[in-house]
Amino acid sequence: MSMKIIECFFYRREKPYRAVVLEARLEQANLLKKVVDAIKDLVQDCNFDCNDSGVALQAMDNSHVALVSMMLKAESFSPFRCDRNIALGINLTSLMKVLRCAQNEDILTLKAEDAPDVVNLVFESSESDRLSEYDIKLMDIDQEHLGIPETEYAATITMPSAEFQKICRDLIALSESVAIEATKDGVKFSCSGDIGNGAVTLRSHTNVEKPDQNVEIALSEPVALTFSLKYLVNFCKASGLSGTVKLCLSNEVPLLVEYGLASNSYLRFYLAPKIGDEE
Amino acid sequence: MPVATLPPPKRALADSTKAHRNVNPTIPSPNTAKRRKIEVGSSPSKRLKLSQNSLKNGSSQPKSQFEEEYLEKLTQDISGLKQQNSEKDQQWDRPNLHDFDEERDSLCFQQIEAEEGTLHGGRTTVKLFGVTETGHSVLLHVTDFLHYLYVAAPVNFVKTDIDGFKAYLETQLAQHQPVIHSVQMSMRENLFGFQGNQKSPYLKITVTDPKYINKLRTTIEGGNMNYKQMWKGVDGGILTFDSIQYVLRFMIDTGVTGMSWVEAPQSKYHMIPHRDRHSNCQIEAYVHYRDLTAHHNEGEWAKMAPLRILSFDIECAGRKGVFPEANQDPVIQIANVVTRYGEPKPFVRNVFCLDTCSLIVNTQIFEFGAEDKMLMAWRDFLEQVDPDVIIGYNIANFDFPYLLDRAKHLKCTKFPYWTRLKSIQSHAKETNFSSKQMGNRDTKATNTNGRLQLDLLQLIQRDHQLRSYTLNSVCSHFLGEQKEDVHHTMITELFNGTPESRRRLAVYCLKDAFLPQRLMDKLMCLVNYTEMARVTGVPFNFLLARGQQVKFISQLFRKALEQNLVIPNLRSDASDEQYEGATVIEPTRGYYDVPIATLDFASLYPSIIQAHNLCYTTLLNKASVEKLNLVKDEDYIVTPNGDMFCTSKIRKGLLTQILEELLGARKRAKKELAVETDSFKKAVLNGRQLALKISANSVYGITGATVGKLPCLAIASSTTSYGRQMIEKTKEEVEKRYTIANGYSHDAQVIYGDTDSVMVKFGPKDLEKAMDLGRDAATYVSDKFIKPIKLEFEKVYFPYLLINKKRYAGLYWTTPEKFDKMDSKGIETVRRDNCRLVQNVIETILHKILIDQDVQGAQDYVKDTISDLLQNKIDMSKLVITKALSKSDYANKQAHVELADRMKKRDAGSAPTLGDRVAYVIVKGAGGAKNYERSEDPIFVLENNIPIDTKYYLDNQLAKPLGRIFDPILGEKKAGQLLTGEHTRSISVAAPTLGGLMKFAKKTQTCMGCKKPLVGKEEMAGAVCSNCRPRTGELYTKTLTKVSELEIRFGRLWTQCQRCQGSLHNEVICSSKDCPIFYMRMKAKKDVEDAGKELTRFDFDAGAAW
């Protein structure tokens, strides 16, 4: 490993000097690893937009049914410095390969120069004094920027992320799609398939000892929508990031699945509802 | 930045593939004053910014190129035409008959069609239709020819049994009239198997009417004819001989071949009075068949009669989204062009139009108020102009049936008489044609007795492998010119417009009628097919309507007749028995930068058959060998396959004789061709030598066709086994002789061999030396084989890229000075099931590698292309894949089939139907979606901006062919880098206007400088972020340049299409899916629109306002 570092060192020195404009230090490399792991099946290549408020990522999956929106606020890093707005085009498969090299507890530092060719990742192990350094070649991704406007949702459900994951995994065994019905009595996930049908109903529930296990339902009017389970199962890969998940629904509006992270950072997924008999 | 930098005024873009704007009156132009003046009732369209001044009172239609080039030139030629043409311009009638005297003249004409008919109340005749040298049409009834068959006579059958046998046959057949005309005994020989050169008695049974022949044959073969149980040892049926159609029998026995000249001497034929005539031919007569002379197609009689060729095209007014249906949509125009064979210019050009239509130069326009009147007038025209050949594009499956159905719907009962026979109606029949060569085809056949039909579409589909068979692409392929492709829905709009727009349609229609004629001239189909008919002896019609076999059968029967052989009527049991085909020497793959000599066996299979005397008549079996006491290798040979044939010393095979004649005739034709100067005679001779070559090569094929009439696997498999042996032997001999040990500079190596050729690497770098060695080797090896087998040195490949079996490319040299061409086999350049991009890339890199010998340049080119592909910069037309929708239920789901289904759901009218070629591109889909789920209509993709799956094109289309080419040159590792290097890191992701989320998503503009999303209130509508504000000027200029570049590009493409449609003033209405420019133009239009939108962002930019 030491050889590698020296190599990198020489390599860097030979290049003409360019100011480092982005430097972001993440206490736990694991966070980024989990985030990338959760979205890499939806998106292959995308831009990480970095500015002084943090690192953001927004991309649609190929079939344009789902949208991933990630925001890592500056506060999630310590320290965080970004002098100019830069977009880092990264192939997520390559990024994942590099992130796998990091131990969970490693400290990760992202670095990039002005008008960069590569993004530099440094993993520091707090236990041993190991320092590993990787460069990923950047891609120039010409991509349109799409966003979902903020809406007032008719129903907001907060529940343990593991619970949501279990429901999705159970139901996909039966059918491709799930109907989510939120009423004042509770929220019902139901599906019907060739072999039969199934439904899971959750009611508001407060666990004093473990606030993580709370199920909260805030409702202004009843909502009933159908979604593709394939995508929901995909979203659930982010369960490791947060103990709770927030589902926001309104009729004829995409579902918002949000995994909240520390210091207001978040990972959000939007999913278009299935309408009529559309496949 | 000053206000002056505001975006340029909006430019209106018009593309009218869908819009109905194009029925707008056309732009007036002053240059055609000589045409009919029409009222200026039409106002110029708003979007045209041409000067209003040109709107003079004499507005007329702008000329198209087609009119200028063809029609107006005719004006200049007209004077010439008047003097030289034997036909008067626009004069429909045939030359009158006053110079013909039946007392004095013999009746000599080129017969073009023969069919069975009756005369004088039921006597069967053969009707010969034809044209005399002076251009008169003739129908000659040939009487008294009777059909017959043979059966082998039993051993104890004697002459006195004949009468009894005849009576017995009559009773067994039990018809009301006498069936058997006569029974004769004659000495004949069975074709199949060597008979020891001995003839045996056969019974020739002649019937009174050919219609009884099948009844007779089935009764005999069914076993109901065993007179006095004389045929012993046969349980059921008795084998019959000489099973062939009546008309062919007649032609064979009289020596008449298809399209040959026949003569009825004066006073031997009898004219038929007008009231008794069957036809509307100018001369109708009858003659006894023995009085008919058939001229051999040599010398003087190789000429062609002045046939009249009608080429026509119809237009129908369809409804939106539905292909025209005869019971609803009217025929609105019929364009006709009539040419006399041998003359360059048509003498009749006219258009029959519904409603009014402005004049077209040098063309007659006939306007009709009602459709039925028009149809009837056209029929009368057809009868009057009396064409011998009717040609067109897809007339067999569309024009003919449509006209017939339409007339039926309009109750024009007198319409469907297009034949030369007064009493015969034309009907469209469904036929199914299937052969190994062309697969299954459902076609319609319309009878036009006495007139030949050539549907250029069928002809080209049969003889040429093309990407697409639309008239447009066929023309661009063979004639090097495009025509506009007007979608059928457009036609209605043009028709509903003004006389001017109908004129435009008429010009279009006329051009469609002209093109088949020009294609036919260019491809020389008529001549080539005529020669094929003459060589093989079958009627012209058979060549198109029937398969390969009938040609060979006809030749075989002719030859057999000469030698008193009879051909058994073998029941074909479709066995799946396979025999081993040709051999392929395992290729030594690689890139060779030394000359590779190619040694070919000249017509390998025919020469094997000749050399070893393989034939039906020489086939032996163990029993016959013992019976006849033959000596091995002396009297008979055993083929490597284990079959036995007697040598030419014992008996010369019939096939050998046929082949000798064919090849000899070909040699003669080639010799004559070399000295002939007259271009028409040259065409005839060339057609003949081609026909002879094809016939010679098909002999082998017939013996191997197990479902055929005369399959003989012993011959077929022996032929291939000899072929295999010879290839192996050649390899052995060459590698044995050309060695360093024998004093040559290198050891020769055979690197590849296939069927009839071997590729030899002799070693020397020098071209000339390699050629000398090649020539030397060819003569050396030829000596080792029996005559006439000959190994020829033909060419040298240098450099040579051998990729795999049947896949190679190289520069083709026949002289050491200059290479002839680049030759590539089995490489993606010629295949049709991939996109044009692959073809272009492969062609270019082959060019770079082989001709420029610049491997690095080829690699760079590949990298650039891949990079462009990933950034969506490749034109979509290059990514379109087309596949024919040949049947509706495939076992596996296929991209084009699935797409056709989806398109049907979207819009049933424009969706491709069975037989159409479906164009599609692969788009990005959800993870794990199958390819067939991701195919999409290119137009739909353009309209909705759906992202193309560039990765698919890279991995599934380009990767393999590139790997195949570069692996042998660079090695696998380096070749792999071509697909993954630095150049693949810049990509572009398009945002579609379709998809589940797109209804909700809002596009956030990004900064043009640094791609940062613009979210601030200030920046939102603008172009750049606050950081990039100093660069506004630079970015604006950049965008502006981009817009103008795109505009220029669009303008160019638009003009290109206008050129192609032949008028620079009319709007482009073409929507040809095969034309790369069409997609380019659509894309360019969209690009300009998008870029224009980008540009307007500067209007709102906070930074630009200072």
Side-chain angles (χ1 to χ4, degrees), chain B residues 578-782:
Chain B
Q578 285 289 324
Y579 57 93
E580 209 180 328
T583 191
V584 177
I585 296 176
E586 191 58 32
T588 317
R589 296 173 186 81
Y591 176 66
Y592 296 90
D593 52 0
V594 293
I596 302 294
T598 310
L599 306 175
D600 294 293
F601 286 104
S603 23
L604 178 72
Y605 288 162
S607 59
I608 290 177
I609 293 177
Q610 280 176 275
H612 300 283
N613 202 32
L614 309 181
C615 182
Y616 298 103
T617 54
T618 58
L619 181 65
L620 293 166
N621 55 29
K622 278 230 167 73
S624 54
V625 169
E626 275 165 32
K627 202 176 94 192
L628 297 166
N629 235 338
L630 298 174
V631 189
K632 192 180 169 185
D633 291 334
E634 186 69 29
D635 301 325
Y636 73 97
I637 50 156
V638 180
T639 66
N641 196 46
D643 293 305
M644 292 173 288
F645 293 91
C646 65
T647 56
S648 53
K649 205 176 78 191
I650 301 289
R651 186 196 176 100
K652 194 162 183 184
L654 194 66
L655 292 184
T656 314
Q657 291 174 43
I658 291 178
L659 285 171
E660 259 171 29
E661 275 183 22
L662 288 174
L663 295 174
R666 180 167 181 232
K667 230 177 233 166
R668 275 203 307 283
K670 273 182 136 176
K671 217 180 254 166
E672 282 175 53
L673 181 66
V675 292
E676 187 59 63
T677 47
D678 181 84
S679 66
F680 280 102
K681 283 188 187 150
K682 257 191 153 152
V684 169
L685 287 170
N686 191 43
R688 175 167 303 174
Q689 68 93 5
L690 267 177
L692 287 163
K693 182 184 165 188
I694 297 170
S695 302
N697 285 332
S698 68
V699 169
Y700 150 77
I702 301 299
T703 62
T706 44
V707 284
K709 258 198 148 173
L710 260 180
C712 183
L713 281 187
I715 299 176
S717 50
S718 296
T719 311
T720 51
S721 66
Y722 272 118
R724 286 195 299 277
Q725 207 185 37
M726 281 159 57
I727 288 285
E728 293 294 338
K729 187 163 177 197
T730 310
K731 176 178 152 85
E732 212 175 280
E733 292 289 341
V734 169
E735 290 189 346
K736 203 168 74 193
R737 174 171 162 141
Y738 298 92
T739 57
I740 297 174
N742 283 351
Y744 291 91
S745 60
H746 299 77
D747 280 339
Q749 186 198 358
V750 171
I751 55 166
Y752 178 55
D754 187 1
T755 319
D756 60 352
S757 62
V758 285
M759 315 276 184
V760 191
K761 187 178 98 174
F762 282 112
K765 273 228 160 211
D766 187 31
L767 261 176
E768 205 153 343
K769 212 159 197 178
M771 284 185 175
D772 286 341
L773 281 169
R775 255 173 243 126
D776 184 55
T779 38
Y780 172 74
V781 179
S782 294

Side-chain angles (χ1 to χ4, degrees), chain B residues 408-641:
Chain B
K408 203 172 183 184
H409 179 74
L410 294 173
K411 305 199 171 56
C412 295
T413 44
K414 286 191 179 143
F415 182 72
Y417 290 92
W418 301 341
T419 67
R420 278 197 162 140
L421 297 172
K422 287 177 189 165
S423 58
I424 306 265
Q425 276 198 26
S426 295
H427 291 289
K429 265 191 309 186
E430 299 265 339
T431 56
N432 179 292
F433 183 87
S434 84
S435 79
K436 263 191 180 164
Q437 186 193 0
M438 279 164 296
N440 257 324
R441 268 182 212 283
D442 282 319
T443 54
K444 289 189 180 131
T446 309
N447 58 310
T448 51
N449 309 44
R451 307 185 205 281
L452 299 177
Q453 287 175 38
L454 271 183
D455 186 338
L456 268 288
L457 172 68
Q458 289 180 353
L459 219 126
I460 287 167
Q461 277 181 335
R462 175 184 277 249
D463 296 343
H464 302 272
Q465 283 287 320
L466 298 181
R467 248 174 194 271
S468 157
Y469 290 103
T470 60
L471 181 53
N472 180 32
S473 60
V474 167
C475 285
S476 80
H477 187 264
F478 290 110
L479 304 174
E481 65 181 59
Q482 300 253 332
K483 65 168 267 269
E484 54 189 329
D485 197 352
V486 180
H487 198 257
H488 54 81
T489 51
M490 279 300 306
I491 290 171
T492 317
E493 284 166 17
L494 287 172
F495 173 65
N496 291 335
T498 60
E500 291 296 309
S501 73
R502 278 188 291 276
R503 177 183 180 278
R504 181 151 190 216
L505 189 60
V507 172
Y508 170 76
C509 186
L510 195 61
K511 189 166 184 190
D512 276 9
F514 252 108
L515 286 172
Q517 173 72 44
R518 294 196 48 212
L519 273 175
M520 192 177 81
D521 291 347
K522 174 87 184 177
L523 298 174
M524 305 204 298
C525 333
L526 189 59
V527 185
N528 289 354
Y529 273 78
T530 299
E531 284 308 313
M532 184 55 97
R534 285 174 169 175
V535 164
T536 55
V538 298
F540 192 94
N541 282 349
F542 280 32
L543 297 176
L544 283 171
R546 310 275 293 265
Q548 295 290 328
Q549 292 215 23
V550 69
K551 295 192 243 173
F552 173 68
I553 293 294
S554 156
Q555 285 171 293
L556 195 69
F557 268 85
R558 279 168 203 272
K559 204 74 207 160
L561 183 72
E562 280 175 22
Q563 307 198 354
N564 285 331
L565 291 164
V566 285
I567 296 162
N569 181 31
L570 299 174
R571 258 148 294 176
S572 64
D573 36 329
S575 69
D576 286 331
E577 205 179 325
Q578 285 289 324
Y579 57 93
E580 209 180 328
T583 191
V584 177
I585 296 176
E586 191 58 32
T588 317
R589 296 173 186 81
Y591 176 66
Y592 296 90
D593 52 0
V594 293
I596 302 294
T598 310
L599 306 175
D600 294 293
F601 286 104
S603 23
L604 178 72
Y605 288 162
S607 59
I608 290 177
I609 293 177
Q610 280 176 275
H612 300 283
N613 202 32
L614 309 181
C615 182
Y616 298 103
T617 54
T618 58
L619 181 65
L620 293 166
N621 55 29
K622 278 230 167 73
S624 54
V625 169
E626 275 165 32
K627 202 176 94 192
L628 297 166
N629 235 338
L630 298 174
V631 189
K632 192 180 169 185
D633 291 334
E634 186 69 29
D635 301 325
Y636 73 97
I637 50 156
V638 180
T639 66
N641 196 46

Side-chain angles (χ1 to χ4, degrees), chain A residues 45 49 51 60 62-67 85 137-149 230-231 252-254 270-273 275, chain B residues 924-927 945 947 982 984-992 994-1004 1006 1010-1013 1025 1027:
Chain A
D45 306 290
D49 296 309
N51 55 33
M60 267 201 196
N62 278 330
S63 55
H64 315 291
V65 176
L67 182 129
N85 296 338
K137 289 179 186 161
L138 291 179
M139 305 178 69
D140 178 10
I141 303 172
D142 180 9
Q143 188 178 35
E144 299 210 42
H145 212 273
L146 297 157
I148 301 286
K230 199 171 89 185
Y231 284 96
E252 288 173 20
V253 159
Y270 294 88
L271 180 63
I275 298 161
Chain B
K924 281 194 176 156
N945 201 16
E982 191 68 36
T984 59
R985 285 193 213 298
S986 194
I987 63 166
S988 166
V989 184
L994 211 78
L997 261 187
M998 293 314 294
K999 283 197 286 279
F1000 311 107
K1002 223 174 65 190
K1003 204 163 123 184
T1004 320
T1006 51
C1010 62
K1011 300 232 166 72
K1012 182 202 153 194
C1025 67
N1027 281 337

Side-chain angles (χ1 to χ4, degrees), chain A residues 5 17 28 38 47-48 57 82 84 99 113 140 153 194 239:
Chain A
I5 298 164
Y17 176 77
Q28 286 200 328
N47 282 328
F48 285 77
L57 174 154
C82 182
R84 280 187 59 88
L99 287 174
E113 296 164 347
D140 178 10
Y153 287 96
D194 294 339
S239 296

